[in-house]
Amino acid sequence: VLVYIYPKMDLSACLHAGSNYLSHSIPLSLSLSLSLSLSLSFCPESDYSYSGKAMAIKPGRHVWQTKALNPSETNSCIFIMNQISVASTSGPSLRKHILLNILGTIIKDPAYATLRTEEHLGYTVFSGSLSMKDVDYFYILLQGSHYTPNFMLKKVLEFLRSYRDTLVSLIKNGTSEHSSGDEWFRTVRTEALTHILSYPESQVGLAGHFAEIAQSSWPFFNRGEYVIAASKTLHKDQLLEFYDEFIEGVNARQLVIQIHGREYSFEKLKDIPHLDVFRNVTRFKSTLSPIQSGFIW
């Protein structure tokens, strides 16, 4: 559904979580609502001089509370996006891109195990990296109907806070399959590189892949050489520094799209730090600035 909607809304994006695509699991109503949310948040209206540009999220946690487009929809959805950086051949930005993909690789299974299997918060849990308008994002999506949207959001944020301890242990001790943190990091770095350098299997997907490269601010078909070179400069401690700065840091740029099903009305969010709650996305967007070509964090 999302793949069909994107062209209709002039939204160039790729949502992925390993080999699973969000469009395989999200009901139509939430797909429409989520796609609309992303389009409004990051694609300025026609009266902007930067039409089609991504918007720079300000540091902090910004929560957009909105209703599902289908009034009979029983599911609610939490979609957390942390804005990371603009894709670039620049060393610092490219290293962030690799670290983001490493994080997406290692957090997918724990997020699913905790939020779905252990806590039964919803039947759909995805996490990973998202690329839109040449900008990188980390994301977690949770969808379900048994708990309030506020409770779901709190549990996802609790998971992200607790995962830092898991990350510290992995970096220090490795796993049962990897005798040290260094060995573990080399393995997950290789897995992330394989994902970054892979190509879509279908002819349609391959055509879209190269079209996206040609239209991006990084129109180099030999980008794999840059990725490999940048990966060799990374070490395991940088992954924790990345997490502290871009995922859990006080200056992290986080947008939360909280879609409410029919059973739940808007409630005041409590005990969540760095919080900015809004329901008027046009007003929120007016406070943001477009990211210019070449904008690098």
Side-chain angles (χ1 to χ4, degrees), residues 16 33 65 67 84 124 164 168 172 196 200 215-216 228 238 248 261 273-274 291:
H16 57 82
S33 186
Q65 294 184 329
K67 284 285 189 180
I84 308 300
T124 298
R164 186 188 186 280
V168 169
K172 182 179 180 180
I196 293 172
Q215 297 173 27
S216 73
I228 293 172
Q238 288 177 308
E248 277 296 291
H274 321 298
I291 296 175

Side-chain angles (χ1 to χ4, degrees), residues 154-219:
K154 288 181 180 180
K155 299 303 287 187
V156 174
L157 296 178
E158 285 177 8
F159 166 76
L160 288 175
R161 285 194 296 270
S162 67
Y163 188 75
R164 186 188 186 280
D165 295 333
T166 302
L167 198 55
V168 169
S169 177
L170 290 169
I171 291 172
K172 182 179 180 180
N173 305 315
T175 67
S176 59
E177 299 177 352
H178 306 94
S179 59
S180 69
D182 291 320
E183 180 185 342
W184 167 81
F185 183 74
R186 287 193 295 269
T187 300
V188 296
R189 181 179 59 186
T190 299
E191 292 175 359
L193 281 175
T194 300
H195 173 73
I196 293 172
L197 299 175
S198 64
Y199 291 98
E201 295 183 0
S202 69
Q203 292 296 317
V204 173
L206 195 61
H209 171 76
F210 286 114
E212 182 182 348
I213 293 177
Q215 297 173 27
S216 73
S217 61
W218 189 13

Side-chain angles (χ1 to χ4, degrees), residues 63-66 277-286:
V63 181
W64 179 12
Q65 294 184 329
T66 184
V277 181
F278 65 95
R279 291 166 196 162
N280 186 325
V281 71
T282 302
R283 184 180 302 170
F284 170 75
K285 190 173 61 176
S286 69

Side-chain angles (χ1 to χ4, degrees), residues 53-249:
K53 295 288 187 181
M55 307 297 282
I57 301 173
K58 294 180 179 180
R61 176 173 291 123
H62 312 278
V63 181
W64 179 12
Q65 294 184 329
T66 184
K67 284 285 189 180
L69 295 183
N70 183 353
S72 64
E73 180 59 63
T74 59
N75 292 287
S76 294
C77 180
I78 304 298
F79 192 75
I80 295 178
M81 304 169 61
N82 283 51
Q83 196 171 53
I84 308 300
S85 71
V86 176
S88 168
T89 56
S90 141
S93 183
L94 188 54
R95 286 193 288 271
K96 290 180 210 171
H97 179 72
I98 299 169
L99 290 168
L100 169 62
N101 277 269
I102 293 175
L103 178 61
T105 298
I106 64 176
I107 204 173
K108 178 179 65 174
D109 290 342
Y112 187 91
T114 300
L115 301 174
R116 189 185 190 283
T117 306
E118 296 176 14
E119 301 191 2
H120 306 289
L121 295 171
Y123 59 87
T124 298
V125 176
F126 287 105
S127 60
S129 60
L130 180 157
S131 180
M132 182 165 54
K133 299 295 183 184
D134 295 329
V135 181
D136 285 338
Y137 304 85
F138 168 80
Y139 78 88
I140 285 188
L141 181 148
L142 171 64
Q143 177 179 303
S145 59
H146 297 305
Y147 296 96
T148 68
N150 285 359
F151 183 79
M152 292 166 65
L153 175 57
K154 288 181 180 180
K155 299 303 287 187
V156 174
L157 296 178
E158 285 177 8
F159 166 76
L160 288 175
R161 285 194 296 270
S162 67
Y163 188 75
R164 186 188 186 280
D165 295 333
T166 302
L167 198 55
V168 169
S169 177
L170 290 169
I171 291 172
K172 182 179 180 180
N173 305 315
T175 67
S176 59
E177 299 177 352
H178 306 94
S179 59
S180 69
D182 291 320
E183 180 185 342
W184 167 81
F185 183 74
R186 287 193 295 269
T187 300
V188 296
R189 181 179 59 186
T190 299
E191 292 175 359
L193 281 175
T194 300
H195 173 73
I196 293 172
L197 299 175
S198 64
Y199 291 98
E201 295 183 0
S202 69
Q203 292 296 317
V204 173
L206 195 61
H209 171 76
F210 286 114
E212 182 182 348
I213 293 177
Q215 297 173 27
S216 73
S217 61
W218 189 13
F220 304 107
F221 291 95
N222 64 334
R223 65 172 66 186
E225 298 175 13
Y226 293 92
V227 172
I228 293 172
S231 70
K232 294 179 180 178
T233 68
L234 295 175
H235 57 80
K236 61 181 183 180
D237 292 332
Q238 288 177 308
L239 184 58
L240 184 60
E241 294 170 1
F242 174 87
Y243 197 85
D244 286 340
E245 180 177 359
F246 294 101
I247 308 302
E248 277 296 291

